[in-house]
Amino acid sequence: MAQSAPSGAKKVYRFHASEAAVNKATAEVVADERLGNHKGTTLKAGVAATVDGSTPEADLVFHVKLPAAGRYMMHSYAVTDAEGAALMKKAKTKFESLFMKLQVGNGRPTKRVVYVPWDRPRQETGKFEFDGGEQAVKIWLPRGVRLEYIELTPYTPPAVPPQAQNYRPAVVPPAAHPRLWVNRQSLPLIKSRLAADGNQAAWEKVKKAALTPFVFEFDRAKEVAYNAELEVAAESKAFYYLMTGDKKAGREAITLMTDYLSHVEFGNILDITREIGRAIYYGSEVYDWCYDLLSAEEKKQLCKHLLRLADDMEIGWPPFLQKIINGHGNEAQVNRDLLSMSIAIYNENPLPYQYCAYTVLEDLVPMRKFEYQSPRHNQGVNYGAYRMGWEMHAAWLLYRMTGQEVFDPNIKNVRKFWQYMRMPNGQMLRDGDGFGAGKPGEPYYWKSPLTMLLFYAYAADPVLKGEFVRQGGLPGNPVLFLLLNDPALQAEASLQSLPLTLDFGPVLGAMVTRTGWNIDANSNDVVAEIKGGGYHFGNHQHSDAGAIQLYYRGMQFGDLGVYKFYGTPYDFNFNKRSIAHSMMLAVDPAEKFTRAEANDGGTKFNQRAPTTVQEVQTDPWFNNGKVLSADFGPSKTRPFYSYFAVDLTGAYTSKMNGYNRGFCFLNLGREDVPAAIILTDDMTTASPGIKKYWQINALNAPETTANGVVLTARQGNLTGKTHINMLLPAAANRQMEVRSGPDANNVFDKKYEVPNVGQPEENGHRIMISPKKASPRDRFLTVLQLTAGDQQALPVKYYETPVSYVVLLADRVVSMSNSRELINKGFSVKVPGNAACQIVLTGMAPGKWNIRGGNSRLNVNTSVEAGKNTIFLKAKGGTYTISPQWAADAEMLRTEENFVP
């Protein structure tokens, strides 16, 4: 008997498995206190599951009578027994879930997930048609589960936003086919490139596949499983027809796709929407490229099944269950799959294009125009590359359809993110979830060749094309390669044309700087990053505003989190949180974090994504601080210094009254000590009881010293060290704590199980330095030096002026503001000796300045630019007075732009 209960405006009809007709030969009802009614139905001991067989008699049958005919969403609720729990513990992918077989009435049986490896008893089974009369719902159980109930709810399609209901896109498909990836104007160009050097091998591969018969045998009474090989074969044959006019290949493509789409079922595996989308995409290509070979009935059937599959995607149909801005809605669903479908069938049904064009042109394009003022992706290196690739599909599809670029040109610059995050060992600096790693414990080179192809072709970037070649190209997708690759664009293997430093701008504030572009395991190059400022976009973006990373002959310090499954206790309480990163913590014992139990003392933990430019700019929840200064020079390609300052107050909650972090990277141009970093932190909390921690996270055990700590990293036979010299607070006024191994992954003694993914981050070290005396305001001044092997760190001298810290190191003199304010009053800097020094004055207020004095009696005027806030000069020893006005008798300061270390 069904139990029904109101759920908003809908009724929920629940049918308990214990009350169904149970096949006593195969199944039984057992007691289980974990279930709501304490009863579950399971297979008897020793009975084999027949989910994959053709046994006509089900394990249990529900006799369902619903009040009205229509579509209903079904859910199931089940737990595992000891056998099932053991299977799930071994499972590594979603495809190792536990499946039941299900049949509604006389419909075609289908396999559906009933239990997944990440312990979610309730599963969305799918949408099914019911006729309003009494119908049997038959279920064949897998071994290892105890089914409590199935539940049916009337299905309501996603609501169409009012703005989309009568939307008239400014950009529409042309009347003629083809129009996916190529139109009648660009078709001759694509054909002319097929036999060119660089394309010919891919063309021969497509030709061979197109002319090879593909046998597809299936039972028309049964559902067909996902078949990636068939989809690729159909695409090759359709493309070959488009390029050559070979009707036999075109007809083969049509037959394969019509048979396949009419019988394929994808079930309810988590994220199966990606596989559904592939089928829609390849089906749309066949529809468009072979359009003139399709009969009216074939067009009707293909349209029907393309839309049938669209209805089962996460984003739903109409495609408004998710936002295209972030999350799974920002992946292939609209950007490639549904957009391709809507373009292909536009003549027969313009409504899908109306909806897809609305989401792309009115939601996505304006948001990305704003976001991509910063040339990086908010979802990090890995998810960012994946999702960016789909956005580039949308950019290309709409461009090739009409010849118009609908995305702002700044989308072309986002490619720089993956160029600059590259470490010399081939991996990437950490950002967001996942590493894109190779085999655990083995060296690997991070790759995303599909996204590199889309980018280098769109931006006509020879250096990125060189990266695409280095990543091995895209041998598995020769059709897309032939559609996009311009053989006349020669790949440039060298990275030397790229500047050593990149400022990422105001929206996703960060700076990456390095001493060279030697990508090799034996490289001596240093790479450093600081991030913070701008906005937080949720999902896979971490709470890491202000975090720093450093590579030299291996990872010196950075992040300790590892990613396996989204939303686990470890993921939400450690991996995505500030404590997993090298940054400042401020622990307020009373603070509570949304969607997480652990109080790590970090920045806000945000899993909510903004959907409009106005929302991200006006809702303080998304505030991730403000970039105050970013500059490097004097050469803009091979700079001596790289300076970044950020106000991170907004990234924290109200516990923070004010916090600025300053970062000055010095390329010393030496073999023994190649680089140094000067780091300043000025933090004021709402009360002195909020404890501050200056934190660095390392992969290898640190060595504590009187001045601070020494970190070590190794890459092959090379060893590099980071000497951390904390000048403020003084040693007598601070305390250090080092947490290692399992203890490093605890959040102030809240323990979370670290997933085993075979990465060294699983067993790292957290070095936390805190002031001994509680105070609302604390200042930290730290000098970090990189040394080759056992080379000694250079002597550091330091003094403080009324407005700044002055650090003297090698032939460098660096002044950095000693408060959260820009320096707007005069001060003096003393330079020892008489040798020429490089002087960098940072944190300077914009406007006119005069520098006078020294042994050479220097007298120069200069202007400080807002947002850069630096002055650079070379001068000999003596005392220099820096004044906030021009002197009438002074010359203008000149810097040697091409002076390279």
Side-chain angles (χ1 to χ4, degrees):
M1 180 179 293
Q3 294 182 350
S4 65
S7 177
K10 294 182 179 181
K11 288 277 189 176
V12 177
Y13 302 94
R14 181 176 295 178
F15 300 85
H16 284 99
S18 59
E19 299 176 2
V22 178
N23 182 347
K24 295 182 179 179
T26 62
E28 61 182 343
V29 178
V30 296
D32 196 314
E33 294 299 316
R34 296 171 296 170
L35 300 174
N37 69 344
H38 301 166
K39 297 177 183 178
T41 303
T42 186
L43 291 179
K44 288 183 173 179
V47 173
T50 56
V51 171
D52 293 318
S54 56
T55 305
E57 191 170 357
D59 298 316
L60 65 158
V61 180
F62 297 92
H63 295 284
V64 172
K65 190 176 189 311
L66 297 169
R71 301 186 79 201
Y72 287 78
M73 177 65 74
M74 182 185 295
H75 288 84
S76 67
Y77 193 96
V79 295
T80 56
D81 59 19
E83 181 182 356
L87 289 170
M88 292 297 89
K89 191 170 184 178
K90 295 178 182 178
K92 296 180 180 179
T93 72
K94 62 186 179 183
F95 295 103
E96 296 175 83
S97 301
L98 298 176
F99 292 81
M100 64 182 179
K101 185 166 71 174
L102 168 74
Q103 184 180 21
V104 176
N106 296 319
R108 196 164 58 198
T110 183
K111 284 177 64 175
R112 300 296 163 117
V113 170
V114 69
Y115 201 85
V116 294
W118 40 94
D119 191 24
R120 291 181 184 172
R122 182 175 169 86
Q123 292 296 308
E124 185 178 285
T125 310
K127 298 184 282 288
F128 299 90
E129 293 284 348
F130 286 84
D131 60 16
E134 184 173 299
Q135 290 175 276
V137 176
K138 299 179 181 180
I139 290 179
W140 291 258
L141 291 168
R143 292 209 59 79
V145 300
R146 296 174 175 182
L147 179 68
E148 182 182 3
Y149 63 77
I150 62 169
E151 201 171 72
L152 293 166
T153 308
Y155 175 72
T156 302
V160 179
Q163 303 94 320
Q165 291 176 9
N166 299 306
Y167 180 64
R168 295 293 178 264
V171 178
V172 297
H177 293 266
R179 51 200 186 201
L180 276 183
W181 292 111
V182 59
N183 59 21
R184 288 192 173 181
Q185 288 71 41
S186 58
L187 182 58
L189 175 65
I190 305 303
K191 288 182 177 180
S192 71
R193 292 173 172 175
L194 295 175
D197 289 344
N199 279 5
Q200 187 173 12
W203 173 236
E204 291 299 324
K205 189 172 186 177
V206 171
K207 181 179 178 180
K208 181 179 179 181
L211 298 179
T212 300
F214 188 93
V215 178
F216 178 49
E217 296 178 347
F218 64 102
D219 184 342
R220 293 188 179 275
K222 296 180 180 180
E223 68 182 18
V224 169
Y226 167 56
N227 191 328
E229 290 77 15
L230 180 149
E231 294 170 359
V232 172
E235 180 195 43
S236 297
K237 292 175 184 293
F239 183 74
Y240 189 73
Y241 168 68
L242 181 65
M243 295 294 109
T244 68
D246 185 325
K247 292 184 179 180
K248 183 175 182 292
R251 285 303 315 168
E252 288 176 352
I254 292 169
T255 300
L256 282 174
M257 198 52 71
T258 51
D259 287 346
Y260 176 62
L261 292 184
S262 62
H263 286 75
V264 67
E265 287 287 349
F266 291 88
N268 63 325
I269 301 173
L270 181 68
D271 295 346
I272 196 63
T273 198
R274 292 164 179 159
E275 285 76 14
I276 296 172
R278 272 181 52 114
I280 293 172
Y281 171 63
Y282 286 120
S284 300
E285 286 184 324
V286 171
Y287 191 97
D288 179 61
W289 295 344
C290 302
Y291 187 80
D292 59 345
L293 296 180
L294 290 169
S295 69
E297 180 60 24
E298 286 169 335
K299 291 176 186 175
K300 180 180 177 181
Q301 288 301 311
L302 284 171
C303 286
K304 171 186 172 182
H305 289 294
L306 289 171
L307 285 165
R308 172 182 70 85
L309 293 176
D311 188 62
D312 283 334
M313 298 182 85
E314 275 188 89
I315 205 165
W317 190 262
F320 298 109
L321 278 182
Q322 298 171 328
K323 285 289 187 180
I324 197 172
I325 301 300
N326 207 335
H328 289 181
N330 181 233
E331 294 180 358
Q333 293 187 81
V334 174
N335 284 315
R336 183 192 67 174
D337 306 330
L338 297 178
L339 181 60
S340 294
M341 178 191 75
S342 71
I343 292 170
I345 69 173
Y346 182 75
N347 292 30
E348 289 68 41
N349 185 355
L351 192 61
Y353 182 78
Q354 176 182 325
Y355 292 157
C356 292
Y358 174 80
T359 61
V360 173
L361 300 178
E362 304 304 322
D363 287 344
L364 185 62
V365 168
M367 189 68 167
R368 296 304 190 248
K369 179 179 181 179
F370 168 76
E371 285 184 57
Y372 294 156
Q373 295 175 80
S374 285
R376 65 186 294 149
H377 200 285
N378 63 60
Q379 295 297 280
V381 167
N382 296 286
Y383 275 91
Y386 182 73
R387 292 180 178 169
M388 189 75 233
W390 302 126
E391 286 187 21
M392 291 304 300
H393 274 78
W396 268 111
L397 286 167
L398 292 169
Y399 169 63
R400 278 286 179 81
M401 184 181 81
T402 63
Q404 301 178 47
E405 292 185 7
V406 301
F407 282 82
D408 189 272
N410 66 14
I411 195 174
K412 299 175 184 178
N413 295 327
V414 186
R415 71 190 192 278
K416 296 178 182 178
F417 181 39
W418 291 279
Q419 292 175 316
Y420 277 82
M421 295 295 279
R422 179 77 66 185
M423 294 191 291
N425 65 358
Q427 297 184 28
M428 292 291 206
L429 291 170
R430 310 311 191 203
D431 191 48
D433 284 333
F435 299 147
K439 294 180 180 180
E442 295 184 10
Y444 69 91
Y445 189 87
W446 184 93
K447 300 177 181 180
S448 184
L450 173 60
T451 301
M452 300 304 109
L453 167 65
L454 292 157
F455 259 129
Y456 86 67
Y458 198 76
D461 181 353
V463 175
L464 197 64
K465 187 171 185 178
E467 176 63 31
F468 172 77
V469 172
R470 197 157 37 246
Q471 293 185 16
L474 201 65
N477 199 341
V479 170
L480 186 62
F481 179 74
L482 290 169
L483 286 165
L484 298 183
N485 183 56
D486 178 2
L489 180 69
Q490 295 299 308
E492 173 55 66
S494 173
L495 301 173
Q496 298 307 314
S497 63
L498 300 178
L500 293 178
T501 298
L502 179 64
D503 162 31
F504 283 96
V507 177
L508 286 165
M511 177 179 281
V512 173
T513 183
R514 60 205 314 130
T515 59
W517 281 107
N518 181 22
I519 310 300
D520 183 86
N522 297 315
S523 173
N524 288 310
D525 290 345
V526 179
V527 184
E529 182 200 35
I530 179 169
K531 67 179 66 171
Y535 304 94
H536 199 287
F537 296 88
N539 200 208
H540 293 286
Q541 186 178 0
H542 288 189
S543 301
D544 57 3
I548 54 176
Q549 299 185 74
L550 184 64
Y551 178 97
Y552 174 58
R553 296 181 170 183
M555 199 70 189
Q556 295 287 335
F557 59 76
D559 302 351
L560 287 187
V562 296
Y563 180 74
K564 188 172 184 180
F565 290 127
Y566 186 89
T568 63
Y570 168 84
D571 186 46
F572 273 11
N573 289 283
F574 187 82
N575 173 52
K576 289 181 168 64
R577 302 288 293 281
S578 301
I579 198 166
H581 302 80
S582 295
M583 57 184 287
M584 288 287 296
L585 307 176
V587 180
D588 178 358
E591 185 172 21
K592 303 293 183 183
F593 285 83
T594 306
R595 299 188 69 183
E597 64 174 359
N599 178 1
D600 72 330
T603 62
K604 294 173 289 191
F605 179 50
N606 174 31
Q607 288 295 289
R608 178 164 61 94
T611 58
T612 66
V613 175
Q614 181 182 18
E615 183 183 14
V616 74
Q617 289 183 300
T618 58
D619 187 339
W621 179 249
F622 303 113
N623 184 349
N624 216 30
K626 181 181 180 182
V627 177
L628 300 173
S629 310
D631 190 31
F632 50 94
S635 165
K636 295 304 178 185
T637 57
R638 299 291 183 268
F640 290 144
Y641 71 90
S642 299
Y643 171 66
F644 186 87
V646 58
D647 181 345
L648 294 163
T649 310
Y652 294 80
T653 59
S654 57
K655 69 183 177 184
M656 192 67 65
N657 284 353
Y659 170 39
N660 284 19
R661 171 161 267 196
F663 167 96
C664 188
F665 179 90
L666 301 175
N667 184 351
L668 298 177
R670 301 170 57 129
E671 292 290 330
D672 57 342
V673 187
I677 296 171
I678 303 171
L679 197 65
T680 64
D681 293 281
D682 194 322
M683 179 178 283
T684 303
T685 52
S687 71
I690 298 174
K691 191 169 183 178
K692 306 174 188 68
Y693 293 92
W694 185 98
Q695 178 176 268
I696 286 287
N697 294 341
L699 300 183
N700 298 309
E703 174 193 348
T704 58
T705 68
N707 294 327
V709 66
V710 177
L711 307 179
T712 302
R714 296 175 183 87
Q715 181 67 44
N717 295 322
L718 298 176
T719 299
K721 294 185 178 182
T722 301
H723 297 256
I724 300 176
N725 182 354
M726 183 165 280
L727 302 171
L728 290 176
N733 300 326
R734 66 178 187 251
Q735 56 194 14
M736 180 187 298
E737 179 181 0
V738 179
R739 293 198 171 197
S740 300
D743 201 33
N745 297 287
N746 291 345
V747 183
F748 293 105
D749 298 326
K750 282 189 177 292
K751 297 183 178 180
Y752 299 96
E753 184 177 353
V754 184
N756 180 8
V757 297
Q759 296 299 326
E761 282 82 355
E762 296 167 38
N763 295 287
H765 310 265
R766 288 197 294 115
I767 302 103
M768 299 184 295
I769 299 175
S770 55
K772 285 184 177 179
K773 183 180 178 181
S775 172
R777 183 190 181 200
D778 286 287
R779 298 183 301 155
F780 298 80
L781 173 63
T782 314
V783 178
L784 301 88
Q785 296 185 58
L786 286 305
T787 64
D790 293 326
Q791 294 289 334
Q792 295 298 307
L794 299 172
V796 175
K797 295 181 180 180
Y798 145 77
Y799 61 88
E800 197 165 346
T801 77
V803 295
S804 69
Y805 310 115
V806 179
V807 175
L808 298 92
L809 175 69
D811 62 343
R812 311 298 172 94
V813 178
V814 181
S815 167
M816 299 181 74
S817 176
N818 62 9
S819 73
R820 296 185 59 236
E821 305 298 325
L822 292 172
I823 298 170
N824 58 10
K825 60 180 69 174
F827 64 104
S828 296
V829 171
K830 296 178 181 179
V831 178
N834 199 39
C837 289
Q838 296 179 33
I839 301 173
V840 185
L841 309 176
T842 70
M844 306 294 290
K848 298 177 178 180
W849 289 86
N850 174 260
I851 304 165
R852 183 189 297 266
N855 297 342
S856 59
R857 297 184 179 182
L858 184 74
N859 183 15
V860 292
N861 292 333
T862 190
S863 293
V864 171
E865 189 175 338
K868 295 186 175 181
N869 308 110
T870 59
I871 298 173
F872 173 85
L873 68 153
K874 290 196 300 178
K876 295 184 177 181
T879 299
Y880 294 87
T881 301
I882 298 98
S883 305
Q885 69 274 320
W886 279 358
D889 59 341
E891 297 181 352
M892 292 301 297
L893 174 65
R894 297 178 181 177
T895 58
E896 297 182 53
E897 288 290 334
N898 297 317
F899 188 63
V900 179

